[in-house]
Amino acid sequence: MQNVTSCWNCGKSVEEVHFCEACRSLQPPATNYYDFFGLEHKLNLDLEDLEKRFYTLSRRLHPDVYFRRSEQERQYSLDASAILNDGYRVLRNPVTRAEYLLAEEGFDSAGRKSQNVPPELLEEVFDLNESLEEFRQGDESVRPQVEAAERHLFEKREEIDRELESKFEEYDRTKSRDILMEIQGLLNKRQYIRNLIEEIEKELVG
Amino acid sequence: MAGLLQIDFGKPDRIVGIDLGTTNSLVACMELTHPAVIPGPDGERLVPSVVSITGQGEAVVGNPALKLLVSRPESTVYSVKRLMGRGIGDVQDELKLFPFQIAGGSESVLRIRLGDRTLTPPEISALILRQLKTNAEAYLKEPVKKAVITVPAYFNDAQRQATKDAGRIAGLEVLRLVNEPTAAALAYGLDKRREGIVAVYDLGGGTFDISILKLREGIFEVLATNGDTHLGGDDIDNRLIRIALEDIETEWGRDLSRDGEAVQTLRRAVIQAKERLSFAPFVDLVFEYQGKSYKRRLMRELFDKLVADIVDRTLGPCRACMRDAGLTPEQIDEVVLVGGSTRIPLVRSAVEALFRTKPHTELNPDEVVALGAAIQAGILAGTVEGKLLLDVTPLSLGIETLGGAVEKIVLRNSTIPASATQTFTTAVDGQTNVLIHVVQGERELAKDCRSLARFDLKGIDPLPAGMPRIEVRFLIDANGILNVTARDARTGKEQSVEVKPTYGLTDEQVEAMVNESIDRAEEDFQARQVLDARVEADHILAAVEKAKQNDAYYDLSELEKQQIQDAVNQLLLAYHSSDYLLIRAQIDLVNKATLKLAETMMNQAVRAALKGTKI
């Protein structure tokens, strides 16, 4: 992304991310979220630092600031602010951040097989489906079972989150694609559990 | 030299802030360092959001229209904000309560019949905006062309677009739509006091909003918002009216619910009673109509019971908003109350109980939104520095997929501007169009969400099915309004997108209304000029007649007398024309012809005065 381009306004070469060093005009926004925030492509991020960057960039890029500037800069400001906000949403959440980095590294996000039951959950899911079916039929007596299953899924999810955290660190250290593969597996499992929890919540709330 | 002095040396544009409310509207502007509400020529700060069409087809706005609401209910409209961006299917229940009639062809935009005119909600709102614009111009003594207008945070795309259209029709460039609760937070200037989490509870005449903001170093970051665009003081009024009507029917044996004048008279009485009950423990509701009188004592306790469920309906959105912001009541540092309905003690106690903190009420809840709008106007003009609003989109944006399901592409409470890019392709060989249905809402099926628009991607190269790759970018701008652009991912060529809004006006329709409104404004202006010129002609004609009795007149030569008579005759001829310039020209001629006469009379008067003075 850091290849040298020239400024749309003054024609001088631009190396900074957002502004031309020579004429200070706003440049077309970087589309990669990490580059946009001026961050290394890492999975573990300091959230306070991220927030600080978000506020600083908001002040510099928001359309409010470009009201009395050229049409071109106003358009860039709108585009840049959208990327800033979209990027902040994606990067501040570890799961979406990891998904973003995986896609960036060429992992196919469409091929994520969240519908495949993780083998260690097979038996549990089978039991849960049975209870849910009874619950749907109006059998209130299985409510405690369903609730217990949900609690167990919460625990599972927390376990995965802890695992993800250590894998993130490992990846940042080694940049190994094998680790990314493991992370993708964990994310798929997590997504599967999330879907299950959503299904249970829907039934419990009725 | 004069030409040189007129060159504008980068003087910042005057931008006003407007609160276009359900019940009342206000205009405000920055005065040096503080925002101030601009009063109307009558000194009133609130302009009732009421428009009446007279028998001559002229529009009357504000307090004069409020008076006409009782005598001409069928050609007077109020609470039009509730109808903005809506189709006839949405407002069936409410229409029963309104005295005016809906014209045909109202599926995508309501058309309201008022006297012999048929107007859409944006046109009616435009009449209110035009009045505010006129008030501001008279007060500031300069033209006003740019504005920031506030909208309920929970307004959807169509409702926002309708508000923007109204501005355009009124001859205002709408630089920004600001969410009302966010504007209120700005006006409270809470950022100066501390950093923290603030909840803004805004219960107005017709809409309810709750927003939770994080304040930090001048940045107002909205974390989540929720609300109900059909909940407000109007609902309380309608409840009390219905009860009173039933009561009157029992007492008088007469059903008045179809009698527009009776209902509007009762509405006034009910609103007065409601407002007084905020300060008094009980109130007498008095309704006098056609020589009969109805009186009921209403205790606050009973009032509270009657409206408790309406107040309760605000609490669900408050809890959902806290949940979305990931916060508990204990984490909310301050609560701000906005909107006239927050004067009701029951509302205050409900808010206090929910958030466990005493709400701020220092600023006038009717004015705080307009003041905030003026500050935002100052931010855009560059006169207010260091403050920045980061607002969110209240509803998720989705596209309809096969089978009528919704794929969400921008989630609710995303900071705006926000965007999403999706790639579309064709389903059959040689297909050159792709239709995209965009909806707003949280439900899983498209039919349960709010249909926004259908976007037609046209001119796709005819290729085998699945080959074209059209990248569509959905961008929600800082006003919360959706913009869609598309490009062919293979060629990089811009793709044309035709927008068919589900609710609301097309660009062409708005353009036509802008022109008509300018014509009408021009007509109104002409009419006023003619009237003014005639008044002046009356004055001078009367003066000439009086002067003819004066001695000085007899001293004039026959020629001079003839010249005066000729000029007077010419003016009388011009008098009934509708050309005010002609009338003024003839007035000037009479003035000239009578110059000598006037001088002589003046001299005589001076001499007489001197004679009368004994030195």
Side-chain angles (χ1 to χ4, degrees), chain A:
Chain A
M1 195 55 221
Q2 292 296 339
N3 44 355
V4 178
T5 50
S6 49
C7 170
W8 63 272
N9 189 33
C10 70
K12 298 237 169 66
S13 71
V14 178
E15 276 149 52
E16 269 182 44
V17 185
H18 304 287
F19 298 92
C20 167
E21 297 87 328
C23 72
R24 300 315 300 166
S25 57
L26 184 58
Q27 298 298 305
T31 50
N32 181 282
Y33 297 153
Y34 283 102
D35 296 341
F36 193 100
F37 277 86
L39 291 166
E40 276 181 72
H41 295 221
K42 285 170 129 187
L43 281 173
N44 259 327
L45 290 183
D46 175 350
L47 289 180
E48 246 175 70
D49 171 63
L50 184 70
E51 187 187 58
K52 217 179 270 167
R53 286 168 191 264
F54 171 67
Y55 285 146
T56 307
L57 287 171
S58 290
R59 280 190 196 282
R60 297 175 70 188
L61 301 174
H62 196 274
D64 279 7
V65 187
Y66 289 86
F67 246 88
R68 292 171 303 142
R69 302 282 275 273
S70 69
E71 175 68 37
Q72 183 64 267
E73 278 186 285
R74 269 161 38 201
Q75 185 59 48
Y76 286 151
S77 140
L78 180 58
D79 292 340
S81 297
I83 295 171
L84 171 67
N85 294 331
D86 298 345
Y88 184 47
R89 250 186 321 276
V90 166
L91 293 183
R92 75 180 154 186
N93 177 317
V95 172
T96 50
R97 185 196 313 147
E99 286 169 349
Y100 183 77
L101 193 130
L102 281 169
E104 201 185 13
E105 292 297 322
F107 284 77
D108 188 3
S109 63
R112 280 175 33 214
K113 302 271 191 307
S114 54
Q115 53 270 53
N116 283 359
V117 186
E120 74 271 25
L121 283 176
L122 226 104
E123 199 175 333
E124 198 178 335
V125 170
F126 185 77
D127 288 346
L128 174 67
N129 277 338
E130 207 164 286
S131 317
L132 272 179
E133 189 49 43
E134 283 165 43
F135 191 74
R136 250 177 242 129
Q137 307 285 328
D139 185 355
E140 271 289 327
S141 72
V142 292
R143 182 182 276 270
Q145 272 132 280
V146 175
E147 282 172 347
E150 191 188 17
R151 270 197 305 280
H152 185 239
L153 288 172
F154 279 139
E155 282 163 23
K156 269 268 178 239
R157 190 169 65 180
E158 274 165 38
E159 210 175 283
I160 291 174
D161 286 349
R162 277 194 299 276
E163 221 175 314
L164 275 173
E165 208 172 311
S166 77
K167 292 288 169 199
F168 281 7
E169 257 165 59
E170 208 176 334
Y171 171 76
D172 289 344
R173 220 172 42 237
T174 62
K175 300 283 172 190
S176 148
R177 283 187 75 82
D178 291 347
I179 306 287
L180 284 185
M181 201 100 83
E182 284 180 54
I183 289 174
Q184 185 170 41
L186 285 170
L187 287 177
N188 286 349
K189 213 191 293 182
R190 192 183 191 283
Q191 180 65 37
Y192 184 84
I193 290 171
R194 210 186 107 175
N195 291 349
L196 275 181
I197 292 174
E198 258 173 36
E199 205 177 317
I200 295 172
E201 300 258 282
K202 220 187 294 170
E203 294 300 331
L204 285 179
V205 176

Side-chain angles (χ1 to χ4, degrees), chain B residues 161-326:
Chain B
Q161 191 62 57
T163 307
K164 229 181 151 189
D165 292 343
R168 237 175 100 193
I169 297 167
L172 286 169
E173 190 187 341
V174 181
L175 299 185
R176 177 61 54 81
L177 298 176
V178 184
N179 292 332
E180 286 157 10
T182 324
L186 202 51
Y188 260 94
L190 294 166
D191 55 317
K192 260 177 252 150
R193 241 173 284 174
R194 57 187 293 178
E195 306 197 334
I197 306 286
V198 178
V200 183
Y201 178 102
D202 181 355
L203 188 61
T207 56
F208 169 65
D209 280 331
I210 173 80
S211 285
I212 297 177
L213 295 93
K214 180 172 168 181
L215 306 181
R216 190 164 166 180
E217 291 153 31
I219 290 189
F220 293 68
E221 183 190 8
V222 178
L223 299 176
T225 192
N226 210 306
D228 186 336
T229 57
H230 274 68
L231 178 60
D234 279 3
D235 295 290
I236 293 174
D237 303 343
N238 290 335
R239 166 87 42 97
L240 296 178
I241 289 169
R242 214 193 56 226
I243 293 169
L245 280 172
E246 281 167 15
D247 213 14
I248 291 167
E249 191 178 353
T250 326
E251 206 168 285
W252 297 2
R254 246 182 95 186
D255 174 17
L256 292 175
S257 61
R258 303 237 159 256
D259 181 335
E261 193 183 333
V263 172
Q264 294 314 320
T265 310
L266 181 59
R267 168 178 293 276
R268 279 196 150 188
V270 157
I271 291 173
Q272 270 175 18
K274 173 185 80 172
E275 288 175 357
R276 287 216 306 277
L277 261 188
S278 288
F279 306 97
F282 65 85
V283 67
D284 288 326
L285 172 66
V286 181
F287 168 66
E288 275 161 356
Y289 189 63
Q290 292 178 345
K292 284 186 134 181
S293 168
Y294 162 87
K295 192 172 155 186
R296 269 289 171 283
R297 174 153 294 187
L298 186 57
M299 311 297 290
R300 189 191 283 169
E301 227 178 13
L302 176 63
F303 172 80
D304 286 355
K305 270 188 198 136
L306 291 175
V307 302
D309 63 308
I310 295 173
V311 177
D312 269 354
R313 274 170 61 199
T314 66
L315 301 181
C318 290
R319 292 192 193 99
C321 192
M322 282 192 274
R323 200 164 52 234
D324 282 351

Side-chain angles (χ1 to χ4, degrees), chain B residues 533 536-537 540 571 582-592:
Chain B
E536 210 173 304
I540 195 156
L571 176 56
L582 182 66
I583 302 175
R584 292 213 177 274
Q586 295 305 331
I587 291 173
D588 281 348
L589 287 181
V590 173
N591 256 331
K592 266 189 204 137

